[in-house]
Amino acid sequence: MDSKKLKYFLAVVEAGSITRAAGRIPVAQPALTRQIRLLEEQVGARLLERDRKGVSLTHAGQFLYDNGRRLIDELEWVARKARTISDGYSDSLSIGITTIHSCIPGISNLISRFRAEHPGIRLTLESMLSGPQAQAIIDGELDAGILFTEQEDDPRLGYLPIASYRMAIVASRRHPLTKAPPTALRAFAEAPFIRFSRDSTPGSYDRVDRCFEQAGIVPNTILECHDDITIRSLVAAGMGYAIMPSIMARGESDLVAYEPDDLQIFSQLMLAWRKDSVSKTIDELCRMVSHPA
């Protein structure tokens, strides 16, 4: 099967029409239509039903779409590995790391240890938020990731726990409530709240919302951000409070962390990888996580 035609097919399905897909690729619409027809001839089955609204998948088309993305990801993975070997390495490993890795010494220690024990493996690090990390692993853009998530968040991923951190209210030391440390979320009910956007850390976002619901309050959200470093700096400047892993306030003279009784959330730092991947390199990384030096 021609991988180029398969990529065109995936683009058409995801765009919902040949016209929109042609504009995104970009390629002339008649040429794209011809490529889809040639793919159908090659497969020996009709893949798309066309109407004025766009395209829909036949049963055969649905099967090809469900498996086609995985095939393309695997082809691109093989190409990356081939380039690695051509450059003189025995293998490669691309790892996503949380954007607050500098607050967690264990991450740097793990990476340093892996690099020291496996100098023949090309190691690539990408600093990314947890949500995008998980998607990049699923899409085959990363081999593994070190991220904040829960084991039930995505069944397509395998997980290995690294550490657990209590979530806390992080506020500026200049905040009025610092004079009498609060013991409940309600103390911050009217205070401006700066939070992560849901696509950054969906699991944590939903768990925080459940805590607010159980406390019977609606947070005064003034801003949503994708970047925890930005949130921390805005909180330190006195713009509002945030709910973050308590380690975010550690060693910061401008910040204080509170752990109220009704905020019983723990943020799990995990090593994650795609379940259907078979990699001795990832197996070795898992061994190091399970048996820290």
Side-chain angles (χ1 to χ4, degrees):
M1 185 185 299
D2 187 333
S3 63
K4 184 176 181 180
K5 292 184 179 64
L6 180 57
K7 287 181 180 179
Y8 282 162
F9 168 73
L10 295 173
V12 169
V13 174
E14 289 163 4
S17 79
I18 291 178
T19 301
R20 284 194 291 273
R24 292 178 184 179
I25 293 176
V27 65
Q29 184 175 333
L32 181 55
T33 300
R34 175 171 171 74
Q35 291 298 311
I36 298 300
R37 286 176 179 165
L38 289 173
L39 178 63
E40 289 177 324
E41 291 175 8
Q42 188 176 26
V43 172
R46 188 171 183 83
L47 302 173
L48 298 172
E49 298 291 353
R50 303 162 178 82
D51 58 34
R52 287 178 297 177
K53 295 181 179 179
V55 297
S56 59
L57 288 165
T58 63
H59 290 305
Q62 185 67 59
F63 177 83
L64 183 61
Y65 178 75
D66 291 342
N67 292 275
R69 176 58 61 193
R70 175 180 56 81
L71 291 172
I72 293 298
D73 290 343
E74 288 179 356
L75 282 172
E76 292 176 350
W77 178 84
V78 168
R80 288 199 303 271
K81 296 296 182 182
R83 287 194 296 271
T84 296
I85 293 170
S86 175
D87 291 339
Y89 292 90
S90 61
D91 204 345
S92 66
L93 182 65
S94 56
I95 305 175
I97 54 175
T98 172
T99 52
I100 60 169
H101 66 273
S102 59
C103 299
I104 309 171
I107 295 180
S108 297
N109 294 340
L110 174 65
I111 299 302
S112 297
R113 181 184 168 199
F114 187 91
R115 183 70 186 89
E117 294 187 20
H118 301 283
I121 295 176
R122 170 181 277 171
L123 190 61
T124 305
L125 302 178
E126 295 286 345
S127 180
M128 301 172 68
L129 292 165
S130 298
Q133 254 198 75
Q135 190 59 52
I137 296 168
I138 291 165
D139 292 343
E141 297 169 5
L142 292 173
D143 295 316
I146 297 173
L147 65 161
F148 286 99
T149 187
E150 297 296 322
Q151 292 194 23
E152 67 272 15
D153 278 354
D154 198 309
R156 294 169 292 182
L157 298 179
Y159 298 99
L160 188 61
I162 297 176
S164 179
Y165 299 97
R166 175 82 181 264
M167 294 290 277
I169 288 179
V170 177
S172 166
R173 289 189 182 277
R174 298 189 296 275
H175 194 286
L177 290 174
T178 58
K179 296 177 183 178
T183 59
L185 280 172
R186 184 167 294 279
F188 284 86
E190 303 299 326
F193 179 38
I194 304 171
R195 73 181 308 175
F196 290 101
S197 59
R198 191 179 184 280
D199 58 354
S200 299
T201 53
S204 177
Y205 186 101
D206 292 342
R207 285 186 286 276
V208 167
D209 268 2
R210 284 195 291 271
C211 284
F212 280 124
E213 289 172 8
Q214 290 167 5
I217 59 176
V218 176
N220 177 23
T221 304
I222 62 165
L223 189 63
E224 291 193 0
C225 300
H226 289 85
D227 182 357
D228 37 22
I229 303 302
T230 298
I231 291 176
R232 186 172 66 174
S233 65
L234 293 174
V235 169
M239 187 172 174
Y241 76 96
I243 295 179
M244 314 174 76
S246 57
I247 54 171
M248 293 296 289
R250 193 175 300 167
E252 294 290 332
S253 59
D254 293 334
L255 298 175
V256 61
Y258 303 110
E259 297 177 352
D261 298 337
D262 52 358
L263 186 63
Q264 291 289 333
I265 302 177
F266 288 83
S267 190
Q268 307 294 325
L269 184 66
M270 298 276 194
L271 174 67
W273 64 94
R274 207 165 68 179
K275 277 184 179 178
D276 60 6
S277 65
V278 179
S279 169
K280 292 181 179 179
T281 306
I282 292 178
D283 290 344
E284 177 61 14
L285 186 62
C286 288
R287 183 191 67 79
M288 289 186 173
V289 170
S290 300
H291 301 90

